[in-house]
Amino acid sequence: MKIAASVKSGITRSLRAWKGILIMWFVILLMVSMVAIPMKGVLQSGLGDSMITEKLAAGINIDFFADMSASFKSLVSYFSNGLLMIIITGFFINTFLTGGLFNSLKKHSGSFSYNEFFKSSADNFWSFSGISLIVNLIIVLVAIVVIIIPISVFEQAEFSSEGSLFKAVIITISIFLLIVAYLYIVADYARAWQAISDKGGCFRALRFAFRQTAGTFFLSCSLMLILLLFQLFYGLVVFKLLTQYKPVSGIGVFMLFLFSQILFYIKLMMKATRYGSITKMMELNTVSPDQ
Amino acid sequence: MKRYLIFAYALVLFMLPAHSQLINKQQLSPRQTGYTIDARLDPVSKVVTGSMNAFWVNMSNDVVPDIQLHLYMNAFKNGNSTLNIETHGYRKQKQSEYGWINIVSFKDRNGVNLTPFMNFISPDDGNISDQTVMRVRLPKPVSPGDTVFINVEFETKLPSHIRRTGYNDDFYFVAQWFPKFGVYEPVGMRYATKGGWNCHQFHYNSEFYSNHSLYTVNITVPNEYIVGSGGLQMEEPSSDQKAGTKTIRYRAEDIVDFAWTAWPGYSVFYDKWKNVEITLLIPKERTEQVGRQFGSVKNALEYFSANVGAYPWPYLTIVDPPAKGDGAGGMEYTTLFTSSSSYMMPEFLHFPEMVTVHEFGHAYFMGILASNEFEEPWLDEGVNSFWEERIMDHYYGENSGLMDNPLLKLADNSYGRIMYVSSDRRQTVSNNEYSWNYPYGTYGMMSYFKTATWLYTLMGIVGEETTNEIFREYYKKWAFKHPSGKDFVNVVNDVVPRINGNKFGNDMNWFFDQTLYGTGICDYKVSRIFNDQIEFQSDYSAVPDTLKRNSDVSEKRYKSVAELERAGEVMLPVDVLIHFTNGDEIHESWDGKSRFKDFIYIGSRRIEWVKIDPDYKIKMDINYINNSMTIRPDRIPVRRFSYKLIAFMQFFISFISL
């Protein structure tokens, strides 16, 4: 019951915060465009007035990229450097905007205000950065402990075989994903608590989050798994749609852009629903955020 | 005297099977060499103990004072062997991890001990630390027609770090393991200007140049081991219950090397293609790969038989090594080869099939034709890669021979071409180089991929059927005779004019001089298209329409020019397709010799686009992008690509952020 109520509330809250999500979408689009548009230029100049683009009609063509030679190296350079830049700046920008979003998702947040959104973004930035950094660090450590070390040991073991190694990889990755889901709950509780509480500090928020997660383990985990599975399913559908859709006209390509952006906006809405649902779950299970 | 009589009797017994036919009805090769070996594997010490009787027949007109043999396992004997120097792979190892071959005794037909006459030589690089070639001075030089018999007792310690051969745990791949004769080349054979042994050291690149031989090999292993070899099992294994071992007797005829493997974890499967019995040894857990392995080798058998020549042996063994033996994967020993698959290998990746087709193909170029891989690696690896690419793309999809995924398709010939055209060292050296002389990092690209690419180009020029005929003739003329590169070129020069007349000139040397022996690149490009309106006139009847159309005299006339350029050094004939704004198309031919070429048209139509080599026949062209030009470029694919990239990056950011 609490799960259904949380999800329902999460959806309502995310719909109410649509403007905040719109800001997130726009900022991410700008950031990605800073990499993708120069890449498009490089690709265009590498092709000149060639008709080789015919070969792209059926999808990615390896010959085509090989023949780009120097242009391809520029393309790869743009992509790799751009991706690194996006990962770093994306982390901070996302952390910043999530601060505002969590504030919009909390109970009695009232009508959306841009001032309020950016103010809370700024207020929560450092503690949200701390929470994100610590949780990400834990995820990396978990990956090392749960996947890399056991698989390395298993690979060296005399009894290991190809089949058992494969099964071991599947099992360790599954365990890792479950722990990641757990850490997502912790991160969400910590940020929800931080958005509600007047007291700052990522460590206090995390302490609350771990206690809250432990106290509502079954409920929280079930809720998170349901939400993540929906997101995963949605991601797979989007991937399939975007890879299969190959428009050949100008209007078709514009529709592709529009369509892909709507899909991404929905993805952000789903993420906001997750934040809102966890916030609601916290509100249902916590007498006071100062606990 | 009695001793000599006994020995002579033994020799007669030994030589009888040498000329008997147990596998094929007819002898396929001259069988200049033959080996009878008793081998015993000790899984504790990792040593194969061998007792070998072997012969070499002097089929030349020379009096030969010595014999030369490969002792390839010594490549793993020390850190200064030529192999280890070439791979920069030497690391301090435990003594138990090294490999070597130790000659315990070496006698001639009279029982004379020849060990005092043995010495190591290094004909390729003078490396005194390399002990992979042994010369034995004979007490009496060998006259033409005479036969040298040797009896050798040896111990082969297998290396632990498998590089083609060795062991890991209880897996053994035993190759290059016994003393093997080099090839004596008399004057006139290949490039020989005087008679002498051609016996190269063991190198990182290239492995084979040997006589076609007769092998009778008895292998003794512990009972639980499953054995596969390049020979045909002649009888049920004999078992020694007390020692817990079994002995398996194999015979192989007219092959250039004998290798075997032993591992308790194999599953054995059988299949058949026409008269060829196929045996597959594969790890038990990989049984889902069995169909893929059999399917691909049958495809290769069918394609080679139809387009090159018959596979002459009635059996074939495929070994798919386990992960712990992957260093043995992707190797060829004529009637036995190793593939390389893995547990749960996705169906869309045709990598195991590609390896199987490639390694099987060596049965033709390294096994049947048996060219000198050390001196002309392109003639084996390159020619074989060409056939591998053709077979893969024929059976697994023209655009998906190597990978067939909705997101990414990759033709095998595209992969080969990319490896050549995208290399910034493609002009460092020609294709005509000894394997160990290639500058670092260029061997694979040149020997495999450049060769396959120019062979595709040759096929693009002379046609597919002519190409097949070239190889049929090459096989017919040179099977079991060790052809050289010039012999292959001569076959091309015979076949192409015979089928095409004078279309490509008296011979094809102009092609090989540029591709095989040259270092130039091929790059044709469309430099410019322009359509200039001819000064306005009320009546254009004075301006001829070179397109020979019935243009209205009042229609505007244009001077339309397609400017083409040869940007590379290689000159090849190319087709040119010119498309006009009204849909008309003209096919032109250009001999491709001049640096620039203009195609000029005057008429009422304008050029819309131009394509050089519209059917992509000239695979050597390093840049297909500049092969075409249009006045109305299509930007849609790039925009589509960019928008999808933006979307995927957005989802990526959202995915990695909490």
Side-chain angles (χ1 to χ4, degrees):
Chain A
M1 200 62 194
K2 279 184 178 176
I3 291 174
S6 299
V7 174
K8 193 178 161 195
S9 174
I11 293 169
T12 314
R13 291 173 193 218
S14 66
L15 288 171
R16 205 173 62 207
W18 69 273
K19 287 181 183 169
I21 297 166
L22 201 65
I23 293 168
M24 276 190 112
W25 163 78
F26 183 68
V27 172
I28 294 173
L29 176 64
L30 272 184
M31 196 168 62
V32 167
S33 299
M34 278 192 285
V35 175
I37 289 175
M39 275 180 74
K40 184 183 162 192
V42 171
L43 196 57
Q44 203 74 73
S45 71
L47 290 174
D49 294 333
S50 175
M51 297 173 71
I52 197 80
T53 45
E54 289 172 339
K55 284 195 159 200
L56 282 176
I60 295 172
N61 182 285
I62 300 284
D63 271 322
F64 167 84
F65 287 107
D67 290 349
M68 286 187 73
S69 191
S71 301
F72 182 65
K73 283 170 189 161
S74 306
L75 206 64
V76 170
S77 172
Y78 265 107
F79 184 74
S80 50
N81 293 327
L83 202 63
L84 189 68
M85 189 198 84
I86 280 179
I87 289 171
I88 295 167
T89 55
F91 173 80
F92 288 108
I93 289 175
N94 208 67
T95 304
F96 177 76
L97 296 175
T98 309
L101 194 61
F102 263 97
N103 189 59
S104 314
L105 294 169
K106 69 186 180 190
K107 198 178 174 185
H108 311 306
S109 61
S111 58
F112 184 84
S113 149
Y114 287 104
N115 283 345
E116 183 64 22
F117 180 85
F118 285 112
K119 184 179 174 297
S120 1
S121 294
D123 287 346
N124 291 326
F125 178 69
W126 288 113
S127 52
F128 270 44
S129 296
I131 291 165
S132 296
L133 272 174
I134 291 166
V135 173
N136 277 316
L137 197 67
I138 295 171
I139 289 174
V140 171
L141 288 173
V142 167
I144 293 168
V145 173
V146 174
I147 302 179
I148 297 174
I149 294 174
I151 293 298
S152 308
V153 172
F154 198 86
E155 203 179 3
Q156 301 298 321
E158 277 187 19
F159 59 84
S160 91
S161 63
E162 288 171 51
S164 54
L165 186 67
F166 183 80
K167 283 170 196 155
V169 169
I170 298 291
I171 290 166
T172 54
I173 288 177
S174 304
I175 293 169
F176 170 73
L177 290 176
L178 286 173
I179 297 173
V180 166
Y182 177 84
L183 291 168
Y184 270 38
I185 306 169
V186 171
D188 288 357
Y189 273 138
R191 289 181 291 185
W193 180 84
Q194 182 63 51
I196 293 168
S197 169
D198 294 333
K199 295 165 188 163
C202 62
F203 292 108
R204 291 187 65 181
L206 281 169
R207 193 183 66 179
F208 166 81
F210 275 109
R211 286 170 63 183
Q212 179 76 4
T213 311
T216 60
F217 185 78
F218 179 73
L219 273 177
S220 302
C221 285
S222 304
L223 174 64
M224 183 56 81
L225 283 176
I226 289 167
L227 294 168
L228 287 180
L229 282 175
F230 264 107
Q231 286 194 41
L232 180 71
F233 177 71
Y234 178 76
L236 290 174
V237 170
V238 168
F239 184 75
K240 191 93 180 161
L241 283 174
L242 289 184
T243 49
Q244 304 255 316
Y245 185 37
K246 287 169 190 156
V248 289
S249 65
I251 187 76
V253 169
F254 177 71
M255 290 306 291
L256 167 74
F257 176 71
L258 209 62
F259 182 55
S260 64
Q261 293 312 306
I262 290 168
L263 290 172
F264 182 60
Y265 184 80
I266 295 171
K267 167 74 177 70
L268 291 178
M269 283 288 248
M270 291 176 88
K271 203 168 191 176
T273 301
R274 191 188 96 201
Y275 296 160
S277 303
I278 290 289
T279 307
K280 173 69 180 174
M281 181 64 88
M282 185 187 76
E283 289 164 0
L284 288 173
N285 290 294
T286 315
V287 178
S288 156
D290 293 335
Q291 268 184 348
Chain B
M1 188 66 188
K2 196 181 269 183
R3 196 175 126 210
Y4 290 143
L5 280 174
I6 292 167
F7 199 83
Y9 178 68
L11 281 177
V12 169
L13 284 180
F14 171 54
M15 287 298 287
L16 272 178
H19 296 288
S20 62
Q21 288 305 121
L22 297 179
I23 296 175
N24 282 317
K25 286 179 185 162
Q26 287 179 328
Q27 189 169 319
L28 301 171
S29 74
R31 294 187 190 164
Q32 203 167 352
T33 46
Y35 306 85
T36 298
I37 309 172
D38 288 323
R40 174 179 287 271
L41 171 68
D42 178 359
V44 178
S45 63
K46 313 296 181 189
V47 168
V48 175
T49 310
S51 173
M52 178 178 93
N53 286 307
F55 67 85
W56 170 73
V57 185
N58 180 5
M59 291 181 175
S60 74
N61 293 322
D62 306 337
V63 175
V64 181
D66 60 359
I67 52 174
Q68 289 185 16
L69 298 108
H70 300 289
L71 297 181
Y72 277 162
M73 204 54 85
N74 280 342
F76 306 94
K77 191 173 183 178
N78 60 59
N80 294 321
S81 70
T82 294
L83 171 74
N84 276 327
I85 290 170
E86 285 175 351
T87 54
H88 312 284
Y90 175 66
R91 61 186 171 89
K92 275 244 177 266
Q93 293 177 328
K94 285 187 267 177
Q95 195 63 14
S96 62
E97 294 175 346
Y98 285 104
W100 64 81
I101 177 165
N102 180 33
I103 304 294
V104 178
S105 76
F106 197 114
K107 294 175 187 165
D108 71 2
R109 73 170 79 197
N110 301 318
V112 175
N113 178 17
L114 296 180
T115 47
F117 306 105
M118 299 182 334
N119 66 301
F120 294 115
I121 57 170
S122 308
D124 300 341
D125 61 2
N127 175 7
I128 54 168
S129 299
D130 191 84
Q131 300 180 357
T132 58
V133 177
M134 182 173 77
R135 176 175 179 264
V136 184
R137 267 186 304 112
L138 298 169
K140 188 181 159 208
V142 194
S143 301
D146 276 1
T147 301
V148 176
F149 293 96
I150 55 171
N151 172 270
V152 186
E153 305 288 328
F154 63 93
E155 290 170 345
T156 296
K157 163 69 177 58
L158 300 166
S160 65
H161 180 63
I162 301 179
R163 193 181 284 145
R164 301 171 190 153
T165 181
Y167 76 92
N168 186 357
D169 190 20
D170 56 351
F171 171 82
Y172 297 87
F173 199 88
V174 188
Q176 319 285 8
W177 58 288
F178 62 94
K180 192 169 79 170
F181 287 105
V183 177
Y184 188 85
E185 292 191 335
V187 177
M189 181 177 173
R190 293 186 339 104
Y191 303 101
T193 51
K194 60 176 185 174
W197 285 95
N198 193 303
C199 193
H200 291 290
Q201 294 160 243
F202 195 64
H203 294 278
Y204 176 52
N205 298 319
S206 71
E207 303 96 6
F208 301 105
Y209 183 46
S210 302
N211 286 126
H212 296 94
S213 308
L214 184 77
Y215 289 94
T216 304
V217 183
N218 300 314
I219 298 170
T220 303
V221 293
N223 277 328
E224 68 272 22
Y225 278 75
I226 293 163
V227 179
S229 86
L232 191 64
Q233 189 175 324
M234 300 310 291
E235 58 206 24
E236 283 300 305
S238 60
S239 199
D240 181 343
Q241 296 297 340
K242 199 174 165 190
T245 60
K246 61 182 173 186
T247 300
I248 312 168
R249 184 178 182 79
Y250 292 102
R251 181 182 167 97
E253 296 172 357
D254 309 297
I255 62 172
V256 295
D257 199 6
F258 188 96
W260 54 283
T261 179
W263 182 49
Y266 283 126
S267 277
V268 185
F269 295 87
Y270 302 95
D271 204 340
K272 193 170 183 180
W273 181 85
K274 294 191 175 172
N275 69 322
V276 183
E277 302 280 355
I278 309 167
T279 305
L280 170 65
L281 278 73
I282 193 166
K284 285 175 181 138
E285 288 167 315
R286 256 187 240 166
T287 48
E288 87 278 0
Q289 301 287 326
V290 170
R292 296 174 68 173
Q293 292 288 0
F294 280 132
S296 53
V297 81
K298 285 186 198 172
N299 290 339
L301 275 159
E302 181 180 77
Y303 204 84
F304 271 111
S305 300
N307 298 308
V308 179
Y311 177 79
W313 296 279
Y315 70 97
L316 175 64
T317 302
I318 310 170
V319 178
D320 193 1
K324 62 182 168 186
D326 60 359
M331 275 301 300
E332 67 279 11
Y333 302 93
T334 313
T335 43
L336 172 143
F337 66 84
T338 58
S339 183
S340 184
S341 74
S342 67
Y343 181 70
M344 299 290 277
M345 173 72 76
E347 289 279 333
F348 71 85
L349 272 180
H350 301 150
F351 181 72
E353 288 89 342
M354 184 270 280
V355 178
T356 294
V357 168
H358 183 92
E359 304 310 334
F360 169 78
H362 281 296
Y364 282 76
F365 305 108
M366 155 279 207
I368 298 170
L369 290 147
S371 51
N372 188 331
E373 193 193 349
F374 294 95
E375 297 180 7
E376 294 177 304
W378 68 270
L379 202 50
D380 175 28
E381 293 292 2
V383 170
N384 188 36
S385 295
F386 167 68
W387 282 94
E388 163 222 304
E389 290 171 15
R390 286 186 65 187
I391 292 168
M392 291 304 294
D393 294 343
H394 177 80
Y395 287 98
Y396 299 94
E398 192 185 346
N399 298 313
S400 52
L402 211 50
M403 193 190 293
D404 190 6
N405 186 276
L407 287 180
L408 187 62
K409 292 181 188 296
L410 180 60
D412 200 11
N413 85 75
S414 285
Y415 174 74
R417 176 180 170 271
I418 289 164
M419 297 303 286
Y420 163 64
V421 302
S422 63
S423 169
D424 52 9
R425 307 190 72 194
R426 63 194 169 210
Q427 290 188 273
T428 309
V429 66
S430 86
N431 245 170
N432 190 38
E433 194 56 75
Y434 284 8
S435 67
W436 63 92
N437 281 345
Y438 275 99
Y440 184 71
T442 61
Y443 170 80
M445 181 267 296
M446 294 301 296
S447 298
Y448 290 65
F449 302 120
K450 183 183 174 185
T451 308
T453 306
W454 64 248
L455 277 167
Y456 257 102
T457 304
L458 178 67
M459 185 163 75
I461 294 169
V462 302
E464 187 173 346
E465 194 37 50
T466 303
T467 306
N468 292 343
E469 194 51 37
I470 288 167
F471 279 94
R472 286 188 202 113
E473 182 74 16
Y474 180 50
Y475 177 95
K476 203 161 75 182
K477 195 169 178 180
W478 287 102
F480 301 99
K481 290 178 187 159
H482 305 299
S484 68
K486 70 175 167 42
D487 298 319
F488 175 76
V489 172
N490 287 339
V491 169
V492 176
N493 287 340
D494 284 345
V495 174
V496 174
R498 196 174 71 213
I499 294 175
N500 298 282
N502 229 15
K503 188 177 172 188
F504 304 109
N506 294 328
D507 58 47
M508 296 296 286
N509 288 340
W510 56 270
F511 178 83
F512 292 106
D513 288 343
Q514 299 181 89
T515 54
L516 167 59
Y517 301 111
T519 57
I521 54 162
C522 175
D523 185 15
Y524 286 99
K525 64 187 277 193
V526 182
S527 310
R528 202 154 66 113
I529 296 173
F530 65 85
N531 297 291
D532 286 350
Q533 189 183 337
I534 293 170
E535 198 177 332
F536 176 75
Q537 296 171 34
S538 56
D539 181 356
Y540 281 96
S541 56
V543 182
D545 190 331
T546 57
L547 297 173
K548 295 186 172 53
R549 293 180 62 90
N550 298 321
S551 304
D552 190 321
V553 292
S554 63
E555 271 189 282
K556 288 175 186 171
R557 294 285 198 273
Y558 295 91
K559 181 182 180 184
S560 299
V561 181
E563 277 186 10
L564 313 185
E565 183 184 341
R566 174 171 61 80
E569 300 86 4
V570 172
M571 295 179 275
L572 300 173
V574 288
D575 297 329
V576 182
L577 181 61
I578 297 168
H579 182 93
F580 293 85
T581 44
N582 68 335
D584 286 353
E585 287 185 348
I586 295 179
H587 288 265
E588 301 276 9
S589 292
W590 178 27
D591 64 13
K593 288 179 180 166
S594 57
R595 274 285 173 191
F596 296 93
K597 174 76 178 174
D598 287 350
F599 287 101
I600 304 170
Y601 308 94
I602 293 170
S604 54
R605 286 98 195 149
R606 287 166 292 157
I607 294 174
E608 187 179 354
W609 53 255
V610 178
K611 283 183 185 175
I612 299 174
D613 186 26
D615 299 322
Y616 299 102
K617 290 177 182 172
I618 311 294
K619 300 276 185 201
M620 275 197 86
D621 193 318
I622 59 156
N623 187 351
Y624 282 159
I625 294 173
N626 64 15
N627 277 29
S628 60
M629 185 178 277
T630 175
I631 58 171
R632 292 191 192 112
D634 181 9
R635 309 291 187 207
I636 300 280
V638 174
R639 282 172 57 198
R640 190 175 61 212
F641 175 78
S642 307
Y643 292 155
K644 285 190 178 183
L645 184 70
I646 285 173
F648 285 126
M649 283 173 118
Q650 285 172 312
F651 273 88
F652 174 70
I653 288 173
S654 178
F655 176 73
I656 60 164
S657 55
L658 289 173

